[in-house]
Amino acid sequence: MQEPLLGSEGLDYDTFPEAPASPRERTRAGVLQNRRVFLATFAAVLGNFSFGYALVYTSPVIPALKLSSDPELHLDKKQASWFGSVFTLGAAAGGLSAMVLNDLLGRKLSIMFSAVPSVIGYALMAGARGLWMLLLGRTLTGFAGGLTAACIPVYVSEIAPPGVRGALGATPQLMSVFGSLSLYALGLLLPWRWLAVAGEGPVLVMILLLSFMPNSPRFLLSKGRDEEALQALTWLRADSEVHWEFEQIQDNVRRQQLTGITPILVYLQTIFDSTSVVLPSQQDAAIVGAVRLVSVLIAAVTMDLAGRKVLLYVSASVMFVANLTLGLYIQFGPRTLTPNSTLGLEIMTLEGTEQPPAMSFNYLTLIPLLATMLFIMGYAMGWGPITWLLMSEVLPLRARGVASGLCVLVSWLTAFVLTNYFLLAVNAFGLQVPFFFFSAICALSLLFTGCCVPETRGRSLEQIEAFFQTRRMSFRP
């Protein structure tokens, strides 16, 4: 990394020294009232709602299919593992395609294109008559999720004014969390086929709204469509006086031309089934989803006040404590199943497995729920929303489309390995081992944040790019 990123000091962890406020920053109050940019952001992040919904679709569905009387849909251990993890392979493929589509179609059209595999995937799962339809549907919804994961943060960061880019940059994660929470809530009421049908709705609404939204002005300028870019920026700001910002963007274009969150979310209900918990696992999963939503709301409010770096520190520290607590509880806490069952994760609600007899209340049984809530809270406050925002902030415009797709590809290939081998690792070593591993990753993320992550709060994308290009500690010309 560049030298200015190392050894940053200051109580607010602000890597970039203060610069005189720009005209756009001085009118932040007016920007906050600009409903058009918020509407465009909302239209785009509906794709993240569908992503979050599809990601955790297996949480209530796997236990239901393990009890299915239909031999074509009954899942054994290996099939359940593939059903849970194949989403990540689709997401990796979606990230790979985003490397091309982000710059070929543009950010907005790429997000809209994701609706095609999403709708087909949900339809396949809703009408599944065999395992292959479930796996294909899950892969297609994963592809759509990977594509939106690469395109939506870029689109949002490129249309957002600097003063609220942190808050708007948290909305993709916020909507993803809201989508997951909606799935958990609906899972208490609807059969698994109707859960897939319900997933179609947000996708169709996204297509409708995005049809009326402009493309990213920065993308349009990079393609030489200056007049369209100016029109888009004027519409987004609801202001005819946008020439200062437009000239800054135009000048910049001319110069160029593994925390464990995915397996935990995918197997959330299953993990609760395998530990001593007070409430039914379905209710525990829904409670955790609600906590995740509240935590992302906190991050959205504080990201432009506290800064990105402080929240990353807090996030990694909380996740470290939560993962370590879960690992220690599983290692030394009460067992719910037979001693040789490796905490029973490998026989999740299999036929013939009886629930243990009712026992007197033990406060220790609150630990899995509280620790998981703490972990989700920590992730949702920092490493969930901020990493994707930082990706879209620090990448140069000419590489933003390709590099964001590459980031998603690597992220979801890693998620596939973790998700697919999660149950195998549990069966071989015990459920506590993955959580100890995740704890170590969180500790490393603290070190990485301190050494390599800049503070980008309140800076325009052009200022951030100039910082990396010149390796200066100041934005003065």
Side-chain angles (χ1 to χ4, degrees):
M1 298 296 292
Q2 284 83 352
E3 296 168 356
L5 301 183
L6 303 177
S8 59
E9 299 179 352
L11 294 177
D12 61 353
Y13 301 96
D14 194 350
T15 304
F16 299 123
E18 292 297 324
S22 69
R24 188 51 49 188
E25 291 168 318
R26 288 197 296 268
T27 59
R28 181 180 179 183
V31 172
L32 289 173
Q33 300 173 358
N34 189 340
R35 297 180 180 179
R36 291 182 177 179
V37 72
F38 298 147
L39 177 60
T41 298
F42 173 75
V45 298
L46 280 173
N48 287 99
F49 179 96
S50 182
F51 168 73
Y53 188 97
L55 174 64
V56 301
Y57 176 75
T58 55
S59 182
V61 174
I62 286 179
L65 292 180
K66 279 185 165 293
L67 298 175
S68 175
S69 59
D70 185 348
E72 296 296 324
L73 294 173
H74 181 85
L75 299 182
D76 59 25
K77 291 186 297 181
K78 186 175 182 180
Q79 291 168 336
S81 178
W82 272 102
F83 186 45
S85 61
V86 75
F87 180 93
T88 59
L89 282 183
L96 185 63
S97 69
M99 297 172 64
V100 177
L101 296 179
N102 233 339
D103 290 324
L104 180 65
L105 300 179
R107 288 60 159 137
K108 187 188 83 167
L109 290 180
S110 295
I111 299 170
M112 295 177 71
F113 176 77
S114 71
V116 177
S118 185
V119 168
I120 296 174
Y122 280 126
L124 283 170
M125 290 189 290
R129 291 292 180 268
L131 179 61
W132 72 269
M133 295 181 71
L134 290 173
L135 294 179
L136 180 57
R138 183 96 170 123
T139 303
L140 287 173
T141 55
F143 180 91
L147 184 56
T148 56
C151 300
I152 292 176
V154 174
Y155 179 76
V156 172
S157 70
E158 289 186 348
I159 66 173
V164 293
R165 194 172 61 244
L168 293 182
T171 55
Q173 181 71 13
L174 175 64
M175 290 299 287
S176 176
V177 171
F178 189 57
S180 297
L181 178 60
S182 299
L183 185 282
Y184 292 138
L186 289 175
L188 301 174
L189 305 172
L190 298 178
W192 63 272
R193 291 187 187 275
W194 283 101
L195 287 177
V197 174
E200 304 274 13
V203 181
L204 300 177
V205 175
M206 178 192 73
I207 286 291
L208 178 63
L209 290 179
L210 277 179
S211 299
F212 299 97
M213 300 299 114
N215 214 321
S216 159
R218 288 174 171 86
F219 167 76
L220 293 172
L221 275 171
S222 70
K223 298 301 181 182
R225 296 152 64 179
D226 292 23
E227 185 175 345
E228 291 180 61
L230 180 58
Q231 291 175 353
L233 189 62
T234 302
W235 188 92
L236 287 166
R237 301 294 183 262
D239 184 5
S240 59
E241 300 298 325
V242 295
H243 293 286
W244 180 88
E245 183 178 358
F246 181 78
E247 289 173 0
Q248 292 291 107
I249 301 171
Q250 191 177 48
D251 181 61
N252 178 262
V253 172
R254 285 173 177 169
R255 287 200 310 269
Q256 290 183 71
Q257 288 303 348
L258 278 110
T259 60
I261 186 65
T262 301
I264 290 177
L265 291 178
V266 169
Y267 300 119
L268 185 58
Q269 186 171 320
T270 296
I271 291 172
F272 284 137
D273 280 333
S274 306
T275 55
S276 294
V277 288
V278 178
L279 299 175
S281 58
Q282 300 95 324
Q283 296 181 25
D284 287 321
I287 291 172
V288 170
V291 170
R292 189 173 169 222
L293 176 62
V294 173
S295 302
V296 177
L297 283 171
I298 294 173
V301 172
T302 60
M303 201 179 299
D304 285 317
L305 299 176
R308 283 63 154 153
K309 201 162 186 175
V310 168
L311 291 179
L312 288 177
Y313 279 127
V314 173
S315 174
S317 300
V318 169
M319 288 192 295
F320 171 79
V321 171
N323 276 314
L324 186 61
T325 301
L326 275 171
L328 292 174
Y329 175 85
I330 295 166
Q331 179 73 43
F332 301 108
R335 304 292 202 268
T336 62
L337 300 174
T338 58
N340 63 350
S341 64
T342 316
L343 290 181
L345 190 65
E346 74 279 9
I347 56 170
M348 309 170 283
T349 64
L350 285 175
E351 59 274 31
T353 299
E354 298 293 336
Q355 292 296 322
M359 297 182 294
S360 60
F361 177 76
N362 184 350
Y363 284 102
L364 286 177
T365 59
L366 290 172
I367 291 178
L369 175 60
L370 295 177
T372 305
M373 290 169 61
L374 186 66
F375 171 77
I376 296 296
M377 180 184 297
Y379 176 81
M381 287 181 62
W383 281 88
I386 294 178
T387 49
W388 297 108
L389 172 63
L390 277 174
M391 174 194 73
S392 59
E393 286 182 328
V394 303
L395 291 173
L397 177 61
R398 62 184 176 184
R400 199 169 292 152
V402 173
S404 62
L406 182 61
C407 290
V408 171
L409 172 64
V410 173
S411 173
W412 285 105
L413 284 177
T414 304
F416 168 75
V417 173
L418 290 175
T419 307
N420 194 46
Y421 289 98
F422 182 79
L423 297 183
L424 297 177
V426 168
N427 293 338
F429 306 109
L431 182 57
Q432 70 277 11
V433 171
F435 291 109
F436 288 144
F437 172 75
F438 298 151
S439 299
I441 296 298
C442 292
L444 289 175
S445 71
L446 279 169
L447 180 62
F448 176 81
T449 301
C451 296
C452 303
V453 177
E455 178 57 71
T456 59
R457 176 186 56 177
R459 301 299 177 184
S460 71
L461 297 182
E462 287 66 45
Q463 288 177 313
I464 296 170
E465 186 164 337
F467 169 81
F468 282 103
Q469 287 179 340
T470 60
R471 300 190 181 186
R472 293 180 300 179
M473 291 296 294
S474 171
F475 286 98
R476 293 190 298 269

